[in-house]
């Protein structure tokens, strides 16, 4: 076993620098022979000799001629001592780069053949130090000595590259393993390429992940994907709405001795509903019901996923039938199940059915939460019962439940539709006081629109300024509402200034914005400015000189 060395020379062996002369190398060699003998029992001379080798290597260009030191080390070093020297340089001096340079020096200059353990130690050291690129250099050097990293070592390196975000290098190493791997080598752990595929999916590189999965993992004899591997790919494809491709992999699973599980089916069910293929989703559910074995039996997640799919399509009767089927199978619905159904009835304003399921929710000991009450508020607002919606908001407060951004959005929209703009603005200001919610432009837009349509453009500008103070980026609709609002009041200069700000903020105006502004400018007798707006719409960049831009730079919006 290699020795773990201390940072200090033994006190009984004082080793002054003047010993490092050519005439003294013979004297030093006596200790080297002793060290090779005592190294088996961990003797002090062995530790001392390793330090001698380290010092000789570091000082070889300054203390004595490199030729004599190289000749001396060539005679005295073997792979075992070299390993201990490398371990000392790395572990005690915390210098894996120096250790690697020593390895290369002994290979090239001394023709020393290093062991697999030496390479493995250096590779792991570089990975643990956060420099996997250097580990790859060690592997390249290793292969020159006709040694190949085993699956454990290579898996460690690949995982290090994945953790550092260098996914292309990780893919390259996995691909190389299929070329260098011998029959006696173990296959690479599926944990490694599962991590890679998962990382690719997380950064939305779905096509790259699928191509790698097909061309490398499935076609190579070196890798054995498991159900989790397929689930990663199927899930990524379903999120990207490429459900048909996901289903192709689903049908291939059995060819690789992988059986679909609940996760596979639930993911595909959700995927088919995302693209509106209700028939295929229902077929998969029926398939789950007839498969023997607990691993594929539909559970509350399965049924809730299908119920939600029907809800998104507005098919609440089908959703209710599935709910009954779930109860008949002895599967207890959870909060999410009830929230999906209550939200579905809220969106169509069916308050009778909504109330019925709210009572069922309590009967099943499921505790209503913010999502539940927000759906009830939405239902009341849909049928114009805004006062009842605010009573539900009070009920939330009594239960110590705080409204979320959707709750605020629903209530603000409802107040604006009823023309209760000041109340909507008050509620918006209450939202702005919340540190746990980051407001978005869609919350402000109905209030700004309401005041513009009421002819109160100054109040709309105040709210626009509040947006900027909260660092909320106005969107295309915000600018369009304000531009049209200013045009309606004859404030053409301010409308142009808003258009300029819109373009500079890289919020591309659409045809509605451009046509509305151009039409109003022409009616106001401003054909030159209308022409400039059309040029911008055609992609001509704004100029800081000439035309309306220079004349209106710095003109504030009226407040």
């Amino acid at each position: 076993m290699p020795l773990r060395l201390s940072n200090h020379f033994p006190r009984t062996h004082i080793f002054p620098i003047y010993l490092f002369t050519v005439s003294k190398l013979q004297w030093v060699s006596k200790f080297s022979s002793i060290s090779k003998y005592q190294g088996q029992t961990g003797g002090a001379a062995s530790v001392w000799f390793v330090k001698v080798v380290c010092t000789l290597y570091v000082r070889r260009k300054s203390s004595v001629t490199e030729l004599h030191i190289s000749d001396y080390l060539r005679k005295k070093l073997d792979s075992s001592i070299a390993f201990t020297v490398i371990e000392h340089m790395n572990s005690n001096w915390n210098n894996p780069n120096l250790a690697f340079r020593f390895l290369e020096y002994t290979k090239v200059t001394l023709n020393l053949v290093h062991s697999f353990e030496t390479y493995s130690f250096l590779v792991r050291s570089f990975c643990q130090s956060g420099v996997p690129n250097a580990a790859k250099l060690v592997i390249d050097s290793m292969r020159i000595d006709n040694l190949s990293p085993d699956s454990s070592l290579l898996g460690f390196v690949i995982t290090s590259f994945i953790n550092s975000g260098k996914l292309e290098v990780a893919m390259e190493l996995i691909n190389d393993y299929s070329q260098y791997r011998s029959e006696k080598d173990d296959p690479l752990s599926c944990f490694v390429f599962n991590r890679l595929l998962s990382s690719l999916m997380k950064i939305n590189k779905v096509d790259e992940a699928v191509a790698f999965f097909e061309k490398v993992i499935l076609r190579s004899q070196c890798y054995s994907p498991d159900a989790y591997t397929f689930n990663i790919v199927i899930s990524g494809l379903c999120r990207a709405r490429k459900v048909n491709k996901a289903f192709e992999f689903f049908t291939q699973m059995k060819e690789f001795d992988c059986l679909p599980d609940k996760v596979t089916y639930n993911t595909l069910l959700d995927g088919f509903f995302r693209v509106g293929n209700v028939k295929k989703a229902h077929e998969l559910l029926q398939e789950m019901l007839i498969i023997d074995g607990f691993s594929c039996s539909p559970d509350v997640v399965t049924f809730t996923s299908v119920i939600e799919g029907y809800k998104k399509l507005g098919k609440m009767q089908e959703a209710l039938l599935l709910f009954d089927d779930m109860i008949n199978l002895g599967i207890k619905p959870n909060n999410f199940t009830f929230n999906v159904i209550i939200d579905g009835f809220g969106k169509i304003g069916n308050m009778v059915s909504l109330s019925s399921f709210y009572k069922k929710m309590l009967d099943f000991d499921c505790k209503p939460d913010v999502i539940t009450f927000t759906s009830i508020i939405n239902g009341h607002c849909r049928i114009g019962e805004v006062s009842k919606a605010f009573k539900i908001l009070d009920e939330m407060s009594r239960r110590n439940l705080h409204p979320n951004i959707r709750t605020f959005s629903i209530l603000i929209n409802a107040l604006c539709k009823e023309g209760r703009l000041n109340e909507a603005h008050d509620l918006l200001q209450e939202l702005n006081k919340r540190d746990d919610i980051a407001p978005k432009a869609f919350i402000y837009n109905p209030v700004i629109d309401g005041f513009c349509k009421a002819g109160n453009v100054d109040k709309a500008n105040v709210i626009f300024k509040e947006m900027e103070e909260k660092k909320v980026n106005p969107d295309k609709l915000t600018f369009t509402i304000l531009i049209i609002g200013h045009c309606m009041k004859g404030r053409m200069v301010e409308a142009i200034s808003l258009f300029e700000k819109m373009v500079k903020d890289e919020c591309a105006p659409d045809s509605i914005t451009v046509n509305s502004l151009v039409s109003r400018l022409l009616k106001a007798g401003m054909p030159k400015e209308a022409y400039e707006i059309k040029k911008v719409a055609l992609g001509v960049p704004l100029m800081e000189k000439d035309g309306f831009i220079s004349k209106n730079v710095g003109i504030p919006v009226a407040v």
Side-chain angles (χ1 to χ4, degrees):
M1 179 181 292
L3 295 172
R4 181 72 62 175
L5 305 177
S6 67
N7 284 320
H8 305 285
F9 288 109
R11 292 183 179 179
T12 54
H13 294 283
I14 305 301
F15 190 67
I17 295 299
Y18 62 78
L19 286 178
F20 285 96
T21 63
V22 178
S23 61
K24 299 297 182 180
L25 282 175
Q26 186 176 4
W27 181 82
V28 172
S29 68
K30 294 178 182 179
F31 286 93
S32 68
S33 60
I34 296 172
S35 71
K36 293 175 78 171
Y37 171 76
Q38 291 189 349
Q40 299 172 6
T41 58
S46 174
V47 176
W48 182 83
F49 178 65
V50 167
K51 292 186 176 182
V52 169
V53 173
C54 290
T55 308
L56 282 173
Y57 172 71
V58 172
R59 300 177 62 86
R60 70 188 189 279
K61 292 184 179 179
S62 58
S63 296
V64 291
T65 60
E66 186 172 355
L67 178 63
H68 288 91
I69 289 179
S70 298
D71 185 58
Y72 170 75
L73 293 177
R74 188 179 292 108
K75 293 176 182 177
K76 303 302 178 183
L77 278 183
D78 59 20
S79 60
S80 177
I81 297 174
F83 176 90
T84 312
V85 171
I86 286 170
E87 187 190 34
H88 179 77
M89 290 177 172
N90 180 71
S91 303
N92 292 69
W93 294 357
N94 193 28
N95 197 335
N97 288 308
L98 179 65
F100 181 52
R101 289 199 299 271
F102 175 78
L103 180 140
E104 290 289 278
Y105 164 76
T106 53
K107 274 185 61 176
V108 175
T109 305
L110 310 182
N111 296 319
L112 184 65
V113 178
H114 291 277
S115 65
F116 176 87
E117 288 72 20
T118 304
Y119 282 111
S120 178
F121 174 80
L122 264 181
V123 167
R124 292 179 184 274
S125 297
F126 277 121
C127 289
Q128 289 165 352
S129 299
V131 279
N133 285 333
K136 190 172 183 297
L137 291 176
V138 179
I139 289 177
D140 293 339
S141 180
M142 185 179 189
R143 284 171 173 155
I144 293 173
D145 279 354
N146 294 319
L147 293 172
S148 295
D150 59 15
S151 60
S152 173
L153 180 61
L154 190 64
F156 188 83
V157 177
I158 293 169
T159 303
S160 298
F161 274 109
I162 295 171
N163 292 339
S164 62
K166 298 175 180 178
L167 305 184
E168 290 184 2
V169 181
M171 286 191 283
E172 179 187 329
L173 286 169
I174 293 175
N175 197 23
D176 287 348
Y177 187 62
S178 60
Q179 300 176 26
Y180 288 102
R181 176 179 176 263
S182 63
E183 292 183 1
K184 64 179 181 178
D185 290 330
D186 294 328
L188 192 66
S189 169
C190 59
F191 169 80
V192 177
F193 50 78
N194 286 350
R195 280 286 304 276
L196 173 63
L197 290 169
S198 180
S199 297
L200 287 167
M201 292 298 184
K202 282 180 181 177
I203 58 175
N204 294 319
K205 290 194 172 184
V206 179
D207 292 338
E208 292 89 334
V210 171
F212 183 78
F213 179 62
E214 281 188 298
K215 296 175 182 177
V216 179
I217 305 299
L218 297 185
R219 293 183 186 178
S220 172
Q221 300 298 316
C222 303
Y223 311 116
S224 300
D226 57 10
Y228 187 67
T229 316
F230 279 95
N231 286 344
I232 292 169
V233 179
I234 288 171
S235 176
L237 285 167
C238 286
R239 284 198 302 271
R241 304 179 72 86
K242 298 180 179 181
V243 189
N244 290 332
K245 185 65 177 179
F247 190 73
E248 287 180 21
F249 287 126
F250 170 76
T251 58
Q252 283 184 275
M253 290 181 72
K254 291 181 181 178
E255 298 175 20
F256 294 88
D257 295 325
C258 295
L259 294 177
D261 55 18
K262 287 180 188 178
V263 175
T264 320
Y265 278 101
N266 289 345
T267 303
L268 278 170
L269 282 168
D270 182 65
F272 278 117
F273 271 113
R274 279 175 186 248
V275 297
N277 193 339
V278 182
K279 181 181 177 182
K280 195 64 182 178
H282 200 82
E283 286 176 3
L284 282 173
L285 177 60
Q286 295 303 315
E287 186 177 317
M288 290 182 75
L289 291 169
I290 62 175
I291 293 175
D292 292 330
F294 177 76
S295 65
C296 280
S297 299
D299 56 12
V300 64
V301 176
T302 312
F303 276 97
T304 302
S305 178
V306 181
I307 288 170
E308 186 177 25
Y310 279 121
K311 181 209 79 170
K312 288 177 180 177
L313 297 172
K315 298 184 176 182
M316 291 306 297
Q317 289 304 314
E318 287 86 344
L320 291 181
L321 289 174
L322 273 175
F323 181 84
D324 292 337
D325 289 343
M326 180 174 66
I327 300 298
N328 293 334
L329 287 169
I331 299 172
K332 183 181 176 181
N334 58 20
N335 268 55
F336 190 72
T337 316
F338 281 108
N339 281 343
V340 167
I341 296 175
I342 288 172
D343 185 60
F345 284 125
K347 283 181 176 176
I348 60 175
N350 187 342
M351 299 307 294
V352 174
S353 297
L354 187 152
S355 299
S356 173
F357 262 87
Y358 179 75
K359 291 176 183 176
K360 280 186 182 181
M361 185 178 192
L362 300 177
D363 291 339
F364 276 90
D365 294 324
C366 291
K367 190 176 180 180
D369 55 16
V370 174
I371 297 172
T372 316
F373 286 111
T374 299
S375 297
I376 297 172
I377 287 171
N378 187 37
H380 283 300
C381 288
R382 292 262 180 172
I383 59 175
E385 296 177 344
V386 181
S387 297
K388 287 185 178 180
F390 273 94
K391 287 181 180 179
I392 300 298
L393 185 66
D394 293 337
E395 176 67 18
M396 287 178 65
S397 180
R398 285 192 292 272
R399 291 173 179 257
N400 201 28
L401 294 172
H402 302 291
N404 58 24
I405 193 167
R406 182 169 179 251
T407 320
F408 279 104
S409 177
I410 290 167
L411 287 169
I412 288 170
N413 266 292
L415 288 170
C416 290
K417 285 180 181 178
E418 291 198 346
R420 297 159 66 177
L421 299 177
N422 289 325
E423 292 175 71
H425 187 209
D426 291 342
L427 195 57
L428 185 58
Q429 288 180 317
E430 185 180 327
L431 168 63
N432 287 335
K433 294 175 184 176
R434 291 273 296 272
D435 294 328
D436 59 329
I437 297 178
K440 303 291 183 183
F442 71 84
I443 298 287
Y444 292 85
N445 288 343
V447 189
I448 294 173
D449 186 52
F451 279 112
C452 282
K453 286 178 178 175
N456 194 346
V457 180
D458 290 341
K459 189 64 176 284
N461 287 334
V462 169
I463 298 169
F464 183 69
K465 188 176 180 180
E466 289 174 2
M467 283 182 72
E468 293 182 316
E469 289 172 352
K470 287 291 290 184
K471 296 186 174 11
V472 178
N473 293 324
D475 60 15
K476 190 185 300 182
L477 182 58
T478 316
F479 280 112
T480 302
I481 290 168
L482 280 168
I483 288 169
I484 294 175
H486 282 82
C487 288
M488 294 290 290
K489 296 292 288 185
R491 298 181 177 182
M492 308 312 296
V493 171
E494 290 156 316
I496 291 171
S497 182
L498 280 164
F499 183 83
E500 176 189 353
K501 178 174 172 56
M502 183 180 189
V503 175
K504 286 187 176 180
D505 287 354
E506 297 182 352
C507 182
D510 58 16
S511 59
I512 296 174
T513 314
V514 174
N515 293 339
S516 299
L517 181 54
V518 168
S519 173
R520 297 289 176 177
L521 287 170
L522 291 173
K523 286 181 180 178
M526 301 172 70
K528 181 181 177 182
E529 287 80 358
Y531 175 69
E532 293 293 338
I533 296 294
K534 284 184 177 181
K535 281 170 59 178
V536 173
L538 293 172
V540 179
L542 289 173
M543 302 298 293
E544 294 298 330
K545 58 183 180 178
D546 300 328
F548 73 92
I549 299 303
S550 63
K551 290 189 294 184
N552 295 304
V553 167
I555 295 177
V557 177
V559 293

